[in-house]
Amino acid sequence: MDAQGRGQAEDIDPADQWVLNPDTGDYELRLPSSAPQSPVPGPRRAAPAPEREVPAPRRRRATPEEPPPGRRDRRRPAKKKAKKKSRGKKILLWTGGTMAFVILAVGTAGYLYLQHLNDNIESLPDDGASTGGFQKDQAINILLIGTDKRTGSGNDGYGDKGSAGHADTTLLLHVSKDRSNATALSIPRDLIVDIPDCPTTQEDGSTKVIAGSSGVRFNQSLGQSGRTPSCTMRTVTELTGVKPDNFMVADFNAVKTLSSAVGGVEVCLAKDINDPDSHLNLPAGKHTIEGEEALAFVRTRHSVGFGGDLSRIELQQQFLSSLMRKLKSNDTLTSPTKMVKLAEAATEALTVDSKLDSIGKLKDLGMELGKLDTKNLTFATVPVKDNPAEKTPVTVVLKEGPAQQVFDMVKNDVSFTEVKKKEKEKKKKEDAAVAARLEGAKSEPSEIRVRVLNGGASSGSAQRELNYLQTEAGVTKSENAGNAPADIARTTLEYAPDQADQARALAEILGLSGAAMKPGESVTNSQGLPTMTLTLGKDFKGAGVKLDATSAKAPEDLQKSTADKVECAK
C-alpha cells in the first residue's frame, strides 16, 4: 500500500514532507498549514501551555567590535566547520548505520513511520535453531537466504513454477566483534550436505520433527518436505560449526524492488551476454540495472564462467557489493524520498526470524552493520570441487581442508582482509615467554618423535592424524597411543626442554599456538625412546587442518572479493 492510500492528499508525496533538520541531523515532518494531519507517526509534541505574560527580554551582552578591515574572525569558520562535521557524522550514524545488504534503509526509515513498517514485516519461528538473536557486544552471524519461490506479478518467467521456495542463494554474513571487518560466505545450492532432523513449528502452533536427509543438495534444506528457514539454519550449523544469530529470507521481488528503490545498481560485464533463460541481454561494459533487469542479472549463469551455479554466485556477489555501495552513498543517505522507498521495499520483501520481527530490532542490527567499511567486507565462496561420485558432475562436495580452514576463520572471528593486523595484535597481548616457545631452531620432520592421543576429538581422530603425519607431513617417528586419561577442550603438545626444536617444528606443521605448547617431561614410546605427547582436544577439526585458526590465512585459491571494488564478470 502506498503512502497516498494512507490518507495523504494525492498531489503530495509524504516522503517530501520529511525535512532534514541541520541542527539535529534528524528528519522532521513539515506539513503546510492547510494540510490535514498526517496519520504517519512522528515525534509527539507537548500540548501548548496556557498563555501567560511574557517577561521582558533579558539584556544581551555587548557584541564584540567588528574586526578591522582585511581581518576576519577565524574562530567562526572553525566553529561552522565543526558543526557541519558533527551533523554529517550524525547523519551517517542514523543512515549509514543501517546496512546489511538489504537492511540499511530499514533502520534509517524505521522511526519515520514505525507502525506501518512493523505491519509490513513477516516473521517465522527460529525453532531454537539460532543463538537467540544478535548481541551488540559480540560477533554477529546472519543467514541471508534467497529463495526461488515465485510470488507477486511478473515472476512467471523465472524459476521452478512449482517450487516451494528452496534455498537458491545463501550467504552466511559474519561481522567481527570489533565491527572492523566482515565476511559474506556464499554456500553453493548444489553442495552435497547432510540435513539434520528439524523440529519445525506448524501453522497451528504445534511442533513437528521433519526427518533429516543424508547426501542431498543444500538447497533442499528449505522448502523440501515442509522445511522452514530454521532448518536451513541447522544445516549451516552442521556444515560450518557456526550457529547463526538470525535469518533473513528474500524472494525474487526483493532484488527488483530494492534495486529500483536506490535508482539502479552499477554492474560490469567483460563480454556481451544474451541469455534467453534469465532474459538478460546486455553488451560488455558497465551498466546501471534495476527491476526486471537486475533480477535477470543475478539469475543468469549459462553465459558466464563455466555456466554453473558457482559462476552465478560471482555475479550475485558483484551485485550485492554494488548495492551496498549505493546504499551507503550520500546520494541515498541524504534523500528522504529514497529512504522511504527503501524502507517500504525492504520490509515488504523480507521475511525474518521471530527474534528480529520489529523495526526497532532491525534498526539496532543495522546500526551495528553500518559501522563496516566496504573495503573490509570480503565476499568468499565455500571451497568446493566437483562431486567425484558423479560421472558427469552436477553437484559439488567440500574441499575438506580448505573448507574447514575457512569455517574456522569465521568461527574464530578472523578477518579475511586484516589477518596480518590481527596477528600483530594477538602477539602483543601474548606473554613473552609463551610467544618465545615458537621461536628458535626447528628439527626436520623425520627427526620428530611424538605419540598421539585422543583427548576429546571424534572417534578415530588420533589414527587419522597419525596417518597424515606419517604419509603427508614426513613425521615418520610417530605412533597412536590411544585415548587420553581425560578429555580436554584444546589440543596440547607436551615436551621436555631438550625436545624444544622438535616441538617448534611440529607446532608449525599442525598450526599450534604458543599457548598449546606445554613444556614438561617426555615419556617413552613403544621402543623405549623419549617422545613428545600430542593430545587432540575437542578443537580438533580433522587430519591436516590447522588447529589455531586465529593465526591462519585464507586458502590461496579461495574465491573472494571485497565490496569496495567493481569487478567485471567474465
Side-chain angles (χ1 to χ4, degrees):
M1 183 176 183
D2 60 20
Q4 292 178 356
R6 294 190 295 270
Q8 296 292 335
E10 295 185 359
D11 59 343
I12 299 176
D13 185 342
D16 294 333
Q17 297 172 320
W18 291 90
V19 180
L20 181 66
N21 186 326
D23 293 325
T24 65
D26 295 333
Y27 288 106
E28 298 178 355
L29 184 63
R30 304 284 179 83
L31 294 175
S33 57
S34 59
Q37 180 64 39
S38 170
V40 179
R44 295 192 175 184
R45 300 176 180 271
E51 292 186 3
R52 56 184 178 181
E53 184 177 347
V54 179
R58 292 184 179 181
R59 199 171 189 178
R60 295 184 179 181
R61 293 181 181 180
T63 57
E65 295 181 2
E66 288 290 327
R71 296 182 59 188
R72 294 186 180 182
D73 186 350
R74 297 183 180 182
R75 291 174 298 174
R76 292 180 181 272
K79 184 177 180 180
K80 184 176 181 181
K81 183 176 181 181
K83 183 178 179 180
K84 183 177 181 180
K85 182 177 180 181
S86 174
R87 183 182 67 190
K89 184 176 180 181
K90 192 164 186 177
I91 293 174
L92 286 176
L93 180 65
W94 280 97
T95 55
T98 49
M99 170 59 198
F101 303 114
V102 292
I103 328 178
L104 175 75
V106 179
T108 302
Y111 65 97
L112 301 183
Y113 49 121
L114 295 178
Q115 190 56 53
H116 168 71
L117 295 182
N118 277 326
D119 291 342
N120 280 352
I121 298 172
E122 292 187 14
S123 65
L124 290 172
D126 70 344
D127 296 316
S130 76
T131 62
F134 77 95
Q135 301 294 322
K136 292 184 178 181
D137 58 348
Q138 299 295 325
I140 298 175
N141 294 293
I142 306 295
L143 190 63
L144 305 171
I145 308 171
T147 77
D148 59 0
K149 188 173 184 180
R150 304 186 313 179
T151 60
S153 60
N155 293 324
D156 293 339
Y158 300 101
D160 180 1
K161 186 174 182 180
S163 175
H166 295 111
D168 197 49
T169 301
T170 306
L171 295 99
L172 178 61
L173 174 65
H174 171 81
V175 184
S176 67
K177 182 177 179 179
D178 62 7
R179 307 297 185 255
S180 67
N181 62 85
T183 302
L185 187 62
S186 292
I187 302 174
R189 67 173 191 175
D190 296 328
L191 174 64
I192 296 300
V193 298
D194 293 335
I195 299 175
D197 293 343
C198 298
T200 307
T201 302
Q202 305 299 296
E203 291 185 2
D204 61 0
S206 62
T207 300
K208 174 184 176 181
V209 177
I210 300 176
S213 302
S214 298
V216 297
R217 297 186 186 198
F218 175 83
N219 70 342
Q220 293 184 23
S221 64
L222 177 65
Q224 196 83 7
S225 304
R227 296 183 178 113
T228 65
S230 67
C231 192
T232 306
M233 263 189 167
R234 295 185 193 277
T235 305
V236 168
T237 302
E238 185 91 0
L239 174 69
T240 67
V242 179
K243 193 170 188 178
D245 299 307
N246 300 96
F247 68 72
M248 304 182 75
V249 183
D251 58 21
F252 289 165
N253 288 322
V255 175
K256 295 195 293 186
T257 57
L258 287 168
S259 60
S260 296
V262 296
V265 173
E266 183 183 56
V267 296
C268 184
L269 297 174
K271 62 181 181 180
D272 298 346
I273 289 183
N274 187 359
D275 183 358
D277 292 328
S278 70
H279 312 305
L280 181 66
N281 186 0
L282 287 174
K286 293 184 178 181
H287 305 274
T288 299
I289 59 175
E290 63 177 277
E292 295 287 345
E293 199 168 44
L295 179 58
F297 180 85
V298 299
R299 288 194 55 76
T300 192
R301 58 174 174 159
H302 299 301
S303 301
V304 291
F306 295 104
D309 186 53
L310 295 179
S311 299
R312 180 168 62 177
I313 285 175
E314 294 183 44
L315 288 179
Q316 293 167 347
Q317 291 175 347
Q318 180 191 156
F319 177 85
L320 290 173
S321 295
S322 185
L323 177 60
M324 181 174 182
R325 291 193 300 272
K326 191 65 176 287
L327 286 167
K328 290 178 76 75
S329 69
N330 288 333
D331 181 55
T332 300
L333 299 179
T334 58
S335 170
T337 302
K338 284 187 178 180
M339 298 312 294
V340 169
K341 288 180 179 178
L342 279 166
E344 292 283 352
T347 53
E348 289 179 356
L350 296 175
T351 298
V352 299
D353 68 88
S354 51
K355 304 293 191 301
L356 200 61
D357 59 355
S358 72
I359 285 298
K361 295 174 183 177
L362 286 171
K363 185 213 57 166
D364 289 343
L365 174 60
M367 294 289 285
E368 297 301 310
L369 300 171
K371 298 173 183 177
L372 290 170
D373 189 323
T374 54
K375 69 180 181 182
N376 291 328
L377 168 58
T378 302
F379 285 90
T381 302
V382 173
V384 295
K385 60 183 179 181
D386 288 339
N387 190 346
E390 298 172 342
K391 186 175 181 180
T392 303
V394 293
T395 62
V396 294
V397 296
L398 289 180
K399 285 184 179 178
E400 291 291 347
Q404 191 60 58
Q405 190 173 342
V406 168
F407 297 154
D408 284 347
M409 288 179 71
V410 173
K411 186 163 57 176
N412 289 282
D413 201 21
V414 179
S415 171
F416 284 70
T417 55
E418 297 182 338
V419 175
K420 292 181 180 179
K421 180 180 177 182
K422 290 278 185 180
E423 288 177 347
K424 290 178 181 178
E425 290 176 352
K426 181 184 177 183
K427 285 184 182 295
K428 289 179 181 179
K429 295 178 182 179
E430 283 185 333
D431 181 84
V434 172
R437 295 172 190 170
L438 296 171
E439 301 173 358
K442 299 180 180 68
S443 299
E444 293 296 323
S446 60
E447 298 175 357
I448 298 173
R449 188 178 289 111
V450 63
R451 62 180 194 142
V452 184
L453 284 78
N454 190 336
S458 61
S459 178
S461 292
Q463 185 58 46
R464 288 192 291 273
E465 184 71 347
L466 179 67
N467 293 340
Y468 165 75
L469 289 173
Q470 292 183 341
T471 61
E472 298 187 44
V475 184
T476 54
K477 297 177 182 178
S478 52
E479 63 179 40
N480 186 346
N483 292 327
D487 289 351
I488 58 175
R490 302 189 68 82
T491 298
T492 61
L493 175 63
E494 185 174 0
Y495 58 97
D498 61 352
Q499 295 171 318
D501 53 349
Q502 295 183 44
R504 286 189 286 266
L506 187 59
E508 184 177 55
I509 292 171
L510 301 179
L512 292 176
S513 67
M517 301 171 67
K518 303 296 181 184
E521 299 180 355
S522 65
V523 295
T524 55
N525 62 11
S526 57
Q527 286 80 40
L529 299 173
T531 182
M532 300 184 296
T533 300
L534 174 66
T535 306
L536 305 179
K538 294 179 181 179
D539 60 338
F540 180 76
K541 299 302 179 183
V545 179
K546 298 291 186 181
L547 287 164
D548 183 18
T550 58
S551 64
K553 294 182 180 180
E556 292 184 2
D557 59 348
L558 179 68
Q559 176 189 311
K560 64 188 182 77
S561 62
T562 52
D564 62 323
K565 299 176 182 177
V566 179
E567 298 186 6
C568 297
K570 299 179 181 179

